[in-house]
Amino acid sequence: MTVLPDDGLTLAAEFPDATHEQWQRLVEGVLRKSGKDVSGAAAEEALATALDDGLVVSPLYTARDAAPDAGHPGFAPFVRGGRPVGGWDVRQRHGRPEAARTNEAVLTDLENGVTSVWLTAGGAAGVPVAELAQALEGVYLDLAPVVLDAGRETAAAAAALLRLYEERGVSHEEARGNLGADPLGLSARTGDPVDTDAAVELARGTHDRYPGLRALTVDALPYHEAGASAAQELGASLATGVAYLRALTAAGLTAGAAFRQLEFRYAATADQFLTVAKLRAARRLWARVAEVSGAAGDTGAAQRQHAVTSPVMMTRRDPYVNMLRTTIACLGAGVGGADAVTVLPFDHELGLPDAFARRIARNTSSILLEESHLGRVADPAGGSWYVERLTDELAHAAWAFFQELERAGGQGEALRSGLVGERIAATWQERKRRLAKRREPVTGVSEFPFLAEKPVEREPVPEAARPEGGLPRVRRDEDYEALRARSDAHLAATGARPRVFLAALGPASAHTARVAFASNLFQAGGVEPVHDPVTVDAATAADAFARSGASIACLCSSDTLYEEQAEEVAKALRSAGAEQIFLAGRPGEHAGVDAHVFAGCDAVGVLSSVLDRMGVAP
């Protein structure tokens, strides 16, 4: 709480306002000390961060970065939220082949803070459609909305759920949730031909009989999971939603009724500001579609959003860090105004989540809502120059991609022609390069890995036949996971991991930083660093290397000591049998050194070549 002086004057009243130009001059001075001679706008650009889609995050935002008026919470264009006040439906995902175990997990969640159920049905990994009633036994269907995700068995699952409403006496007005029809999303995942007829008929029946139930989901996760950028995810969802609007209105529904049949599903990532901006931009863009469709101002046309913490960011190594990622993502989704939020359990990528992981997942939302009171604030990010500008720029980038898809014939044709896959693949390849160079660090995987970590074991998810078509599924840690798997196999076969000897030169003050850097880098590929003794020189390096059990070595020290000792120490290491010698630092002229490792180098490429040289099989 801020206490003002008795006279009401603020403490900063006597200080002159700082100008943008003054700030730039201070930046110039700092950059000059680091060797960059830039001035004015160039100095500011040197501190900017490039994002996907051509977006750039500036180091400073001021009133001159104001974006178009975002309106008011609960009113078109709904940038500030589809409701006047915040808060969200806590929706957890369930589904395993055993209906009884699914039912147990569903009831536990509903008794402990979850407010709706996202149920996977059909297929190898979902609840059998015929056992849907058993999976929902004891669930008050008039209080807990059910959202279906049944893929190719959507029609059968929807019929089973509607039949269950009738059998349990749930009135048509009390039924809530979504039947999950998404033929374009199914095509994106599997490569199946797009058939909207069944989805349209389902929507018509739902509109006629169940006013609180939606029939269609516009699921953007297939694009996100294939590596799409935020703008591509939004653009694909817009094109999908417009395709469904056309089909529904052609079947006789009014524009307003058609809008009320759709719910959008987006990924929430650990980039909290981008997540906030994405959800705000999505509502603005959909409001524009509503305006063009003649439904402007209709509160029912506001985009209903279901945010899911990103599967792409989840890791198998050091999985407990996923709790931090999902907490940040949940915060971003809530601040961004999502109507429903699903926090994936931290062990999502390891198999079937256990009770502890599900509890942590649901409690993430509960703490943000009940203890942080995030739901009591309308549009918490509103008014931030940064967020408002990012929302506006992202909306324009997404609209441009949406227009590209429309020019290609719409979402269905863009999927069939491969346009969507090609654009997303190009984006993912660029992101993979950043991940490989650790420009986008993955904590516990590419940064601060722990080779002695005890594996977290989970019951495996039943394997389904992988569709031949459709978009791929990617994860940020996949390249590093492949390297670690090679190391694990080597450990199982030989009883030891591949090793690298860290030849630290001089005192700890000279070598500690680069020892830590090299140790992190090599462990990211499953290569165990040996730093014993703490320091070596030309006389002791050969013996220390021979005792390490390593076949390669890495020199670590300051640039000054490299000039004095690197050549002689490298010669000693080579004489002791070192097959390859690295130096931690920028490339330079160092006799006897084979390669350099440094911040921004291709870590995946370096580690792959190291494992190849050591004979560690893929």
Side-chain angles (χ1 to χ4, degrees):
M1 174 176 171
T2 301
V3 179
L4 297 177
D6 292 338
D7 57 9
L9 298 176
T10 63
L11 296 177
E14 298 180 4
F15 293 90
D17 291 336
T19 66
H20 190 253
E21 289 68 25
Q22 287 176 316
W23 176 82
Q24 278 188 342
R25 285 196 293 273
L26 291 174
V27 170
E28 292 169 16
V30 173
L31 290 177
R32 259 187 230 103
K33 290 180 181 178
S34 65
K36 295 181 180 180
D37 188 12
V38 289
S39 61
E44 194 166 343
E45 290 171 5
L47 299 180
T49 302
L51 304 178
D52 291 327
D53 310 307
L55 305 182
V56 176
V57 175
S58 299
L60 178 69
Y61 287 82
T62 64
R64 66 183 185 179
D65 295 300
D69 182 18
H72 302 284
F75 296 92
F78 306 107
V79 175
R80 304 198 64 192
R83 308 173 309 286
V85 183
W88 59 88
D89 169 19
V90 181
R91 180 178 299 172
Q92 284 309 98
R93 184 174 186 174
H94 289 277
R96 57 177 74 204
E98 303 88 352
R101 294 178 65 186
T102 296
N103 177 250
E104 179 184 358
V106 166
L107 294 178
T108 299
D109 274 357
L110 291 173
E111 291 168 358
N112 291 280
V114 167
T115 53
S116 69
V117 177
W118 179 16
L119 190 62
T120 303
V127 176
V129 171
E131 299 175 15
L132 202 62
Q134 183 182 356
L136 295 174
E137 184 67 37
V139 176
Y140 293 101
L141 297 176
D142 54 339
L143 300 178
V146 175
V147 175
L148 294 177
D149 187 354
R152 290 167 174 153
E153 300 182 52
T154 295
L161 181 60
L162 296 178
R163 187 165 57 250
L164 200 57
Y165 287 143
E166 299 294 334
E167 293 172 356
R168 297 189 183 176
V170 178
S171 70
H172 292 184
E173 291 73 22
E174 292 177 321
R176 295 287 187 274
N178 194 305
L179 301 180
D182 185 17
L184 283 166
L186 179 63
S187 179
R189 286 200 185 280
T190 65
D192 289 357
V194 179
D195 180 9
T196 59
D197 292 344
V200 168
E201 286 304 309
L202 193 60
R204 290 179 59 182
T206 302
H207 169 70
D208 293 339
R209 301 180 63 197
Y210 298 93
L213 196 62
R214 297 173 187 253
L216 282 83
T217 297
V218 178
D219 192 355
L221 290 184
Y223 313 106
H224 174 77
E225 291 179 7
S229 66
Q232 289 170 336
E233 184 183 345
L234 291 180
S237 73
L238 282 181
T240 300
V242 167
Y244 291 159
L245 289 179
R246 292 188 179 118
L248 293 172
T249 53
L253 269 66
T254 65
F259 274 91
R260 286 179 171 84
Q261 287 300 307
L262 304 182
E263 180 178 69
F264 287 70
R265 183 176 295 142
Y266 293 112
T269 72
D271 187 335
Q272 59 182 330
F273 291 111
L274 190 60
T275 295
V276 171
K278 180 167 68 174
L279 297 178
R280 297 172 95 249
R283 290 191 298 271
R284 172 182 167 183
L285 295 171
W286 193 239
R288 174 58 178 156
V289 172
E291 181 183 0
V292 173
S293 303
D298 186 345
T299 55
Q303 187 184 76
R304 182 165 181 81
Q305 296 176 333
H306 173 202
V308 183
T309 57
S310 166
V312 176
M313 72 179 181
M314 304 293 269
T315 65
R316 295 179 181 177
R317 307 285 174 167
D318 207 352
Y320 295 104
V321 180
N322 289 331
M323 295 184 196
L324 304 180
R325 299 184 180 102
T326 54
T327 298
I328 296 171
C330 183
L331 172 67
V335 171
D339 299 284
V341 179
T342 295
V343 175
L344 296 179
F346 72 87
D347 54 1
H348 174 76
E349 289 298 324
L350 298 173
L352 295 173
D354 67 1
F356 172 71
R358 290 197 308 273
R359 178 167 68 87
I360 294 296
R362 65 176 178 258
N363 283 354
T364 302
S365 279
S366 295
I367 290 172
L368 291 175
L369 286 169
E370 306 301 333
E371 295 190 20
S372 300
H373 301 297
L374 199 61
R376 297 188 181 186
V377 183
D379 188 25
S384 161
W385 293 314
Y386 169 39
V387 173
E388 298 289 6
R389 173 56 62 185
L390 184 59
T391 298
D392 182 60
E393 293 174 349
L394 182 56
H396 280 88
W399 190 260
F401 187 62
F402 162 64
Q403 290 178 312
E404 181 181 3
L405 298 178
E406 287 292 284
R407 286 193 298 269
Q411 182 69 3
E413 184 56 38
L415 284 170
R416 280 191 294 270
S417 68
L419 173 65
V420 173
E422 291 171 5
R423 295 290 185 273
I424 292 176
T427 298
W428 177 243
Q429 286 304 313
E430 179 57 35
R431 191 177 183 191
K432 283 189 70 172
R433 281 191 284 271
R434 295 199 302 272
L435 288 163
K437 294 183 177 182
R438 303 198 299 174
R439 296 298 190 191
E440 182 181 334
V442 183
T443 304
V445 178
S446 65
E447 293 285 357
F448 312 114
F450 181 45
L451 291 185
E453 167 202 0
K454 184 179 179 180
V456 177
E457 303 290 345
R458 289 292 183 267
E459 182 182 347
V461 176
E463 288 290 336
R466 186 175 180 83
E468 295 182 3
L471 300 174
R473 292 190 180 186
V474 301
R475 287 203 329 277
R476 291 196 309 159
D477 67 342
E478 58 187 19
D479 286 341
Y480 294 97
E481 173 66 28
L483 296 171
R484 293 284 293 273
R486 292 174 66 178
S487 173
D488 289 349
H490 185 78
L491 174 64
T494 66
R497 290 193 183 277
R499 293 178 177 179
V500 57
F501 175 66
L502 302 184
L505 313 181
S509 58
H511 67 237
T512 296
R514 280 172 168 161
V515 164
F517 167 81
S519 179
N520 266 326
L521 184 144
F522 284 106
Q523 286 186 90
V527 180
E528 179 184 352
V530 179
H531 183 204
D532 182 28
V534 173
T535 184
V536 297
D537 54 26
T540 60
D543 182 61
F545 177 80
R547 287 186 282 105
S548 70
S551 59
I552 65 172
C554 181
L555 302 179
C556 302
S557 193
S558 65
D559 292 341
T560 301
L561 286 177
Y562 284 153
E563 294 298 326
E564 297 173 1
Q565 301 182 33
E567 182 176 350
E568 292 302 317
V569 173
K571 186 184 298 183
L573 292 170
R574 190 79 67 185
S575 68
E579 298 176 7
Q580 189 174 26
I581 299 175
F582 289 93
L583 183 143
R586 287 284 172 181
E589 295 297 327
H590 300 104
V593 172
D594 299 309
H596 295 72
V597 289
F598 51 90
C601 72
D602 183 353
V604 170
V606 168
L607 295 169
S608 296
S609 66
V610 165
L611 292 179
D612 289 343
R613 178 181 287 271
M614 292 180 173
V616 180

